[in-house]
Amino acid sequence: MVQFNFEDQHGLHSLSPQEATRCGYTVLISDAGDLLFRASFLACHVNSQVSIQQSYLPGRPAYEADVAIMFHKDQSGKETVALPLREAADLGCYISLQTSRFVLRCPYSSPLSYIVREKGVDLEIVSASVLHALSDDFLVVDASIACAINKAEADGSDLLWTVPYPPPQLVRGQSGDGGLRVGVNGQTLSEADIKERGYKISQQEGRVEIRVPFRAPGGHVKSGVVKGQYSQSMSVDLSLMNQWQDQRWPLTEHRYFRHLKTPLIPQHLVLTNDEPSSGDLFSVSLGLFTPDVHLQKVVFDGGGDLLTWTQKQVASDLAVSRLSLSNGSVFYRLNVSLSHPKVIPEHIGGGSQVYSFTLTFTLSLTPSGEVFYHHAAVTHRAPYPELGPPRLEGKCTESSLLVLLHHGAHSDLQWELFLGARRLDWDLVEMGGFKVKADDDYLTVKIPFYSPGMIYEKLSLQGLVGGVNVSVVDAKSLQEQDHLVHKCTFPARELLVCQPEGRMVAIVDTTHTVPPVQPNRTTLLDPDCGPVETDSARALYIFSLDSCGTTVTQVVGNVLVYENQISYSQDFQSLDDPVIHRGAPYRVTVRCSYPTNATNISTVQHRSLEPISRPLIGVK
C-alpha cells in the first residue's frame, strides 16, 4: 500500500482516498508496474503562482453558513436537490470558495450526478448552482462537469476510444473550435510524434476518435488467461485537452486524464519450425509473449520415452532459450538433437527421415501465477544421407531398446547382427520377445528391457540402466562393419531384479495403503536390513540370498526359490483400552527362482502391484 503525506504551513497532511478526491490527486499503479501520481494545478497544498483578474466572489471570504448548493439531477434541470456544503461533502462533492477561484470536484458514480448518452457515448454529468448569500442579495455561480465514462474497446488490433467533442452540456450557444491536444504518459504529443507512433486522431459528427495501434510506443501490453487460453490487453495513460469558445465564455478548456485498457483478447500462438544450422537439429519457436510470461515446463514426445525440460532443471536433453525482440515481445526457442536415443523417426526412405513430434508447453504469468498450456503436433522432415557400409543406431522407448540397422538401398549386401556373442536368429527373437521390422532402407529390432542378453549396469529410484552390445558383420568375410554399445534408462515404479551373482534388487511403492506408509520405515525380515535409498513414495532394497532373513522356501527339480519380505511394523501406543494402531499395515513378499546350475542370464519383473501380502516374483 502506498501512502503520501504533504506538509504545508498548517502542518503534515495524510493523503487518504477521500482527501485525494476532495483535493484533486490521482494515485494508481500502471499496468507496467509504475507508481503514477498526478496532481491538479488547483489541488490542495499546491502553491500556485497565478494572477487572477477577477474574483468569482466579491468583497469578503465565504463561510459555510453563507453558501448552499443546488444540484440538478437531470438534463432538464427540473429535478433538483439543495444541500449545505457539509452535506454535499459527505456525498463526495467538494466546493472550494476559500480563494478567488471556484473549484467543484465530485467522484465518479456520485449520487449527485446523472448519466446521458451523447453520440453513442455515456457521459456522467454533475450540474450545480452555488448560492452565495450577500448582505442584501444572492450570488449564483453555475458549474457543470461532463466526463465520458466509456471504456476503450479493441477494434481489430487497435485500442479505440471515442468521446463527444465538445460535450454539448458544456457549450452555450454557437461555439468555435479551439483545437485539441493529445498526450501519453504525461507528455504532450506533437503532430510529428503522433504520426511517427502511428496514432490516428479523427473528428467526425461531433466526436473525437483516438486510435492507438497494438504495441505502439507509449502503450503497454499485458497478458492474461481467458478460459485457459493465452490473451493480451493493451493499455495507455492518455490525456486529451480540447478548447472552444461559445456565446458565454471566450475560452473553455476541457481535459481528460484516463487510463484506457482494452478487454483481454485471446491470442493465436504461433509455433514456428525454424531452419536449424545443422541437419541433425530440430528447432521450434513459440510466441509472441509479453515479458510477464515465463515458460515453466516442456514435455517433448519424440516417438520414444518422453523428454522433459523444467525451469528449475539443471541439465536437460532439451535446450530452451528465451529471446527478445526490439518491441519488447519475447518468444521461446526449443532445440533437440535428432540423434537423441529417445527421438525416433516415423519413416525413413526416399532420401529423408520423417518425424512426428508432440509438444506440451506449460507457461505462467507473473505476478498472478496464472498457468496456461499450449499443445502442438509437428511433422518434421530431415535429410537421410546416402550411406556407405551398414550403420547401427540406438534409440530408447519407455520399455524397450531400439536398434536400427541403416543399410540404405544396398539390399544385395549379406550381413548378420550379433547381440554380444550371440547371432540374432529366430530362436533368440522368440526367446527374448524381440520385434523385428524390415523397411526398404533400414531394419528395426525392438528389445524389451527384461529380455535375456540385456546388461544391467545401475539400478536406483531414478530408473534401471540397461544396455546391449550389438555388432553387424559381413556374412561372407565375418568382418565387423559397425559396433554399437547402446544404453537406456528405464523408469521403474516397482521392480524386482534377480541378479546372476545371487543378489535380489527390489523397488516397492508404499503409497497403496491408507494412510500411506513412509518408505524409510520399512525393513526386510531382518529388521536391521533397511532400504538403501528412499523417496517420498518408494524404497530400494539390494541384498544377497544369504542375508537379511532370506530363506529357501521351495525346491522344484533343479530350481531353488528364495524368498524375503518387505514390511512395515506398526507402532503401538499402549493405553488401558483400546490399543491404538499408529500407521497402516504393509507387507510385500519378493521371490527369486535360481537353477542349481548357475547361468549368466538375469530376470526382471516390472509390474504394478497390489498392496499388503502380495508376492513379487522373479525367475533367474
Side-chain angles (χ1 to χ4, degrees), residues 270-275 282-287 332-334 378:
V270 177
L271 185 73
T272 305
N273 194 345
D274 301 326
E275 249 342 291
F282 170 70
S283 179
V284 290
S285 298
L286 179 66
Y332 288 93
R333 176 169 292 159
L334 168 72
V378 179

Side-chain angles (χ1 to χ4, degrees), residues 215 230 232 269-270 286-290 325 327 329-331:
R215 298 188 182 278
Y230 177 65
Q232 291 181 346
L269 295 178
V270 177
L286 179 66
L288 294 166
F289 302 104
T290 54
L325 300 178
N327 63 0
S329 301
V330 300
F331 64 95

Side-chain angles (χ1 to χ4, degrees), residues 207-325:
R207 300 188 308 175
V208 174
E209 286 189 352
I210 301 176
R211 186 179 297 271
V212 181
F214 193 69
R215 298 188 182 278
H220 179 78
V221 180
K222 189 174 183 180
S223 297
V225 180
V226 177
K227 296 181 179 179
Q229 186 174 356
Y230 177 65
S231 305
Q232 291 181 346
S233 67
M234 182 180 176
S235 63
V236 62
D237 284 312
L238 186 76
S239 62
L240 173 65
M241 181 191 75
N242 51 61
Q243 298 177 330
W244 66 88
Q245 59 271 3
D246 56 27
Q247 293 179 351
R248 179 173 294 185
W249 296 101
L251 178 64
T252 299
E253 188 172 281
H254 188 249
R255 294 175 181 260
Y256 282 104
F257 296 93
R258 289 288 300 274
H259 178 73
L260 300 172
K261 186 176 182 178
T262 66
L264 283 168
I265 303 172
Q267 301 295 302
H268 176 66
L269 295 178
V270 177
L271 185 73
T272 305
N273 194 345
D274 301 326
E275 249 342 291
S277 56
S278 169
D280 185 50
L281 195 66
F282 170 70
S283 179
V284 290
S285 298
L286 179 66
L288 294 166
F289 302 104
T290 54
D292 55 356
V293 176
H294 297 276
L295 184 61
Q296 301 294 331
K297 183 178 180 181
V298 180
V299 177
F300 179 88
D301 185 352
D305 197 8
L306 299 179
L307 298 176
T308 303
W309 175 92
T310 63
Q311 190 181 52
K312 297 180 180 179
Q313 201 167 342
V314 177
S316 173
D317 296 313
L318 303 176
V320 175
S321 56
R322 175 181 167 117
L323 303 171
S324 301
L325 300 178

Side-chain angles (χ1 to χ4, degrees), residues 449-461:
F449 86 101
Y450 53 78
S451 296
M454 285 282 291
I455 303 170
Y456 303 110
E457 295 189 355
K458 180 181 178 183
L459 179 60
S460 68
L461 292 180

Side-chain angles (χ1 to χ4, degrees), residues 339-344 392-397 400-404 445 447 453-457 465-471 483-490:
S339 60
H340 192 283
K342 296 179 181 179
V343 178
I344 302 173
L392 292 169
E393 182 182 15
K395 299 290 185 179
C396 301
T397 71
S400 63
L401 294 89
L402 292 183
V403 175
L404 282 71
V445 182
I447 306 173
M454 285 282 291
I455 303 170
Y456 303 110
E457 295 189 355
V465 178
V468 291
N469 290 328
V470 187
S471 58
H483 183 79
L484 173 69
V485 178
H486 181 44
K487 301 175 184 179
C488 295
T489 300
F490 302 101

Side-chain angles (χ1 to χ4, degrees), residues 127-182:
S127 182
S129 297
V130 180
L131 309 177
H132 181 249
L134 302 177
S135 56
D136 55 356
D137 203 349
F138 280 95
L139 175 66
V140 180
V141 178
D142 292 328
S144 295
I145 307 172
C147 294
I149 57 175
N150 61 317
K151 297 180 179 180
E153 58 186 271
D155 185 23
S157 61
D158 296 344
L159 179 149
L160 178 64
W161 189 52
T162 304
V163 292
Y165 176 77
Q169 293 75 12
L170 303 184
V171 178
R172 300 295 181 264
Q174 296 293 323
S175 64
D177 185 6
L180 56 84
R181 292 183 180 179
V182 174

Side-chain angles (χ1 to χ4, degrees), residues 80-154:
T80 61
V81 56
L83 299 172
L85 282 181
R86 188 172 297 276
E87 289 187 24
D90 291 340
L91 294 175
C93 289
Y94 300 92
I95 302 285
S96 174
L97 296 171
Q98 297 301 313
T99 68
S100 56
R101 286 163 287 181
F102 170 81
V103 180
L104 168 64
R105 291 191 182 94
C106 288
Y108 285 106
S109 304
S110 168
L112 300 175
S113 66
Y114 61 92
I115 306 294
V116 299
R117 191 161 185 83
E118 190 70 42
K119 304 294 183 181
V121 177
D122 287 337
L123 295 176
E124 185 172 2
I125 308 294
V126 175
S127 182
S129 297
V130 180
L131 309 177
H132 181 249
L134 302 177
S135 56
D136 55 356
D137 203 349
F138 280 95
L139 175 66
V140 180
V141 178
D142 292 328
S144 295
I145 307 172
C147 294
I149 57 175
N150 61 317
K151 297 180 179 180
E153 58 186 271

